[in-house]
């Protein structure tokens, strides 16, 4: 393997295939209810739950389990709180949501997507307790290490806030997955590679690499339609992502190589609709260039050690 895929991690961890069951717990985010510092991330339509089902958490898991077990009857289920910011709400409500998912038959772990600025002490305590009872991953939507870009996309928090959240989770022995987005407005290839280089030195447990999608009725769509934003080409995305993999440690699980945009509202780039083809093209590029995850990371670490000693 040229990189460490999530499927291998699951087999090593659980001894069988495991698939994520997406959940919309009805939780909001600082941007969505007007308490944030901006009107919302420019690429967001308000929620990320277009792929979830209506109903209670148990009802959603029932439908997801049926979908998963049609083709993989022996698979475990990982309850994935994906829509919204899933540590943003009253602690009692969060505890009830997590408990309901954990009690569902066949659930072997929980993954919680959130923002670094939505991890107050009482929620960190709740997550620490949860991690002692079931395998837990907290997914942080970092997107970029560059605060200038973060300001353009209206992320609403600084890189220092992310570092504080990352360290708080680390000290509690909670598994962490970081989200990156390639193709953010104004970012150069070197800045995208710098994001991978910086987070690689943190040794994250997992990383998800996404492509920036232009969706209808978003501020990003306005920029795109006015010619003020040009998405990455397929070739650019493949080359940048492969180069980022080389900058990440071999121990980091690559949980995603590209993301899904809602095809009902996707404006660009249309080549991203075939996710499997993009993933396969990245693997081919790694083979053709004789590259792999960690190839440049080892060199960076050696250089860092030399610089430290001198």
């Amino acid at each position: 393997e040229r990189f460490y895929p999530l499927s291998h991690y699951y087999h090593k961890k659980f001894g069988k295939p495991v698939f994520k069951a997406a959940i919309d717990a009805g939780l909001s985010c600082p941007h969505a209810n007007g308490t944030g510092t901006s009107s919302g991330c420019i690429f967001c339509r308000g929620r990320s739950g277009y792929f979830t089902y209506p109903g209670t958490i148990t009802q959603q898991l029932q439908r997801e389990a049926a979908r998963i077990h049609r083709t993989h009857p022996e698979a475990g289920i990982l309850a994935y709180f994906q829509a919204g910011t899933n540590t943003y709400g009253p602690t009692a409500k969060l505890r009830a949501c997590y408990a309901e998912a954990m009690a569902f038959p066949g659930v072997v772990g929980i993954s919680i997507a959130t923002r670094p600025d939505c991890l107050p002490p009482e929620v960190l305590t709740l997550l620490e307790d949860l991690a002692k009872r079931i395998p837990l991953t907290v997914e942080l939507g970092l997107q970029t290490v560059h605060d200038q870009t973060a300001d353009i996309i209206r992320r609403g928090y600084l890189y220092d806030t992310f570092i504080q959240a990352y360290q708080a989770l680390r000290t509690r022995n909670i598994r962490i997955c970081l989200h990156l987005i390639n193709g953010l407005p104004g970012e150069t290839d070197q800045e995208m590679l710098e994001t991978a280089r910086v987070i690689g030195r943190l040794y994250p447990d997992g990383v998800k690499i996404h492509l920036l999608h232009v969706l209808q009725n978003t501020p990003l769509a306005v920029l795109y339609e006015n010619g003020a934003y040009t998405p990455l080409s397929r070739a650019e995305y493949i080359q940048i992502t492969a180069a980022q993999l080389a900058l990440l440690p071999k121990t980091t699980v690559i949980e995603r190589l590209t993301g899904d945009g809602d095809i009902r509202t996707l404006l660009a780039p249309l080549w991203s609709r075939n996710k499997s083809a993009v993933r396969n093209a990245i693997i081919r590029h790694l083979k053709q260039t004789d590259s792999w995850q960690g190839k440049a990371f080892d060199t960076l670490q050696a250089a860092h050690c030399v610089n430290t000693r001198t």
Side-chain angles (χ1 to χ4, degrees), residues 25-309:
L27 298 167
S28 185
C29 83
H31 282 332
N33 69 6
T35 64
T37 57
S38 74
S39 58
C41 299
I42 66 171
F43 49 78
C44 182
R45 281 174 55 89
R47 293 195 64 76
S48 56
Y50 68 87
F51 37 74
T52 58
Y53 304 108
T56 66
I57 289 172
T58 298
Q59 290 169 338
Q60 292 179 61
L61 285 172
Q62 287 171 339
R63 295 191 63 173
E64 281 284 78
R67 174 185 64 82
I68 292 167
H69 290 155
R70 273 196 296 270
T71 52
H72 297 85
E74 78 289 5
I77 297 169
L78 191 139
Y80 182 22
F81 289 85
Q82 187 170 11
T85 301
N86 292 282
T87 60
Y88 186 67
T91 306
K93 179 177 181 179
L94 298 176
R95 182 181 292 108
C97 289
Y98 306 154
E100 184 176 354
M102 189 166 55
F104 188 82
V107 166
V108 297
I110 293 178
S111 189
I112 297 172
T114 190
R115 292 167 55 97
D117 57 347
C118 293
L119 290 169
E122 62 273 17
V123 171
L124 288 168
T125 299
L126 172 60
L127 295 175
E128 184 176 17
D129 177 65
L130 186 64
K132 294 175 182 176
R133 302 165 63 193
I134 192 169
L136 170 68
T137 297
V138 172
E139 301 191 14
L140 296 178
L142 173 62
Q143 326 310 3
T144 178
V145 301
H146 305 289
D147 283 341
Q148 181 178 356
T149 305
D151 186 55
I152 293 172
I153 65 173
R154 304 177 190 168
R155 189 179 65 186
Y157 65 85
L158 298 174
Y159 179 71
D160 284 348
T161 301
F162 158 75
I163 286 295
Q164 292 169 15
Y166 187 90
Q167 292 172 343
L169 292 168
R170 267 281 174 262
T171 60
R172 291 166 172 80
N173 296 314
I174 296 172
R175 185 176 185 271
I176 307 169
C177 177
L178 305 181
H179 289 228
L180 309 184
I181 295 182
N182 287 334
L184 294 171
E187 282 213 339
T188 65
D189 293 4
Q190 290 306 312
E191 286 172 322
M192 286 180 263
L193 295 180
E194 182 65 12
T195 288
R197 185 177 294 110
V198 169
I199 69 161
R201 291 170 178 162
L202 296 175
Y203 284 88
D205 301 293
V207 166
K208 285 185 175 180
I209 304 175
H210 301 258
L211 167 69
L212 183 60
H213 295 100
V214 182
L215 303 179
Q216 295 173 2
N217 301 321
T218 62
L220 181 62
V222 175
L223 294 177
Y224 172 71
E225 290 165 345
N226 291 338
Y229 172 70
T230 302
L232 292 176
S233 69
R234 187 175 186 271
E236 288 172 330
Y237 183 80
I238 289 166
Q239 292 171 6
I240 291 167
T241 303
Q244 288 174 320
L245 290 174
L247 294 167
L248 297 175
K250 295 176 182 178
T251 54
T252 295
V253 181
I254 306 304
E255 301 201 11
R256 182 174 292 169
L257 284 177
T258 185
D260 294 304
D262 186 350
I263 60 174
R264 299 167 299 182
T265 60
L266 180 68
L267 293 177
L270 297 182
W271 57 260
S272 67
R273 290 180 293 185
N274 192 338
K275 188 169 70 171
S276 295
V278 176
R279 183 182 186 277
N280 291 337
I282 293 169
I283 295 171
R284 284 197 303 271
H285 184 81
L286 290 170
K287 292 178 180 179
Q288 291 166 357
T289 58
D290 193 28
S291 186
W292 57 85
Q293 180 182 341
K295 181 178 182 179
F297 180 81
D298 295 338
T299 303
L300 282 171
Q301 290 301 97
H304 177 70
C305 292
V306 169
N307 291 336
T308 302
R309 287 195 296 269

